[in-house]
Amino acid sequence: MMTKSVLLPLQPAAAFELFTTAISDWWPASSRHTNDPASVVLLSAEAGLVERASDGHEIVLGKVLAWEPPGRILLDFFIATGPEQPTAVEIRFQLEGGGTRLTVVHRPKPESEALWDGWVARYERAWERVLAALAEAASGAKR
């Protein structure tokens, strides 16, 4: 299991909205999977986590298992493992001081346990990039 967190200068509802509704605006280009710099990242309870290239090609990166605004999102995460061997990603939004502590807990599921050790270091680096980009976007969206 790996855990990463960042303190955002937003209230939980605004942090949840930034993470979900505006995800394509801040999700780092280095963490996109379609090889299209103009791709769009979408996250919703219905669609899951999806990246759509400008030619319409889509890659489903995760399935939403729990959507609990403004406190929590739980995903079956397909990056590096595929939908047959998902990992679990829980994203929590908790009030801390005048902002929100966003915590990502990423762990293997029974189906992906054998793959975890080979990917955990890459997941850690990727989540560090993602959370840094989110923090930068949150600083600009300060409310």
Side-chain angles (χ1 to χ4, degrees), residues 29-43:
S30 63
S31 294
R32 302 222 177 177
H33 299 273
T34 60
N35 297 319
D36 176 2
S39 69
V40 174
V41 179
L42 307 165
L43 176 57

Side-chain angles (χ1 to χ4, degrees), residues 8-57:
L8 304 175
L10 304 170
Q11 292 297 299
F16 190 95
E17 184 176 332
L18 177 64
F19 193 92
T20 58
T21 305
I23 192 168
S24 196
D25 296 338
W26 59 265
W27 193 269
S30 63
S31 294
R32 302 222 177 177
H33 299 273
T34 60
N35 297 319
D36 176 2
S39 69
V40 174
V41 179
L42 307 165
L43 176 57
S44 70
E46 300 79 24
L49 179 59
V50 177
E51 185 177 341
R52 182 180 304 138
S54 53
D55 68 1
H57 172 74

Side-chain angles (χ1 to χ4, degrees), residues 38-121:
S39 69
V40 174
V41 179
L42 307 165
L43 176 57
S44 70
E46 300 79 24
L49 179 59
V50 177
E51 185 177 341
R52 182 180 304 138
S54 53
D55 68 1
H57 172 74
E58 289 187 350
I59 297 176
V60 178
L61 304 172
K63 176 184 175 184
V64 173
L65 302 177
W67 185 269
E68 301 166 1
R72 179 176 173 258
I73 300 168
L74 180 62
L75 300 167
D76 265 356
F77 198 66
F78 305 153
I79 295 173
T81 61
E84 299 80 26
Q85 296 173 298
T87 57
V89 171
E90 181 180 21
I91 303 149
R92 294 186 297 239
F93 304 79
Q94 296 171 307
L95 186 63
E96 183 177 309
T100 298
R101 172 70 57 187
L102 184 141
T103 303
V104 174
V105 178
H106 194 162
R107 62 179 172 72
K109 294 182 75 165
E111 308 93 297
S112 57
E113 187 76 42
L115 303 172
W116 182 254
D117 287 343
W119 283 98
V120 67

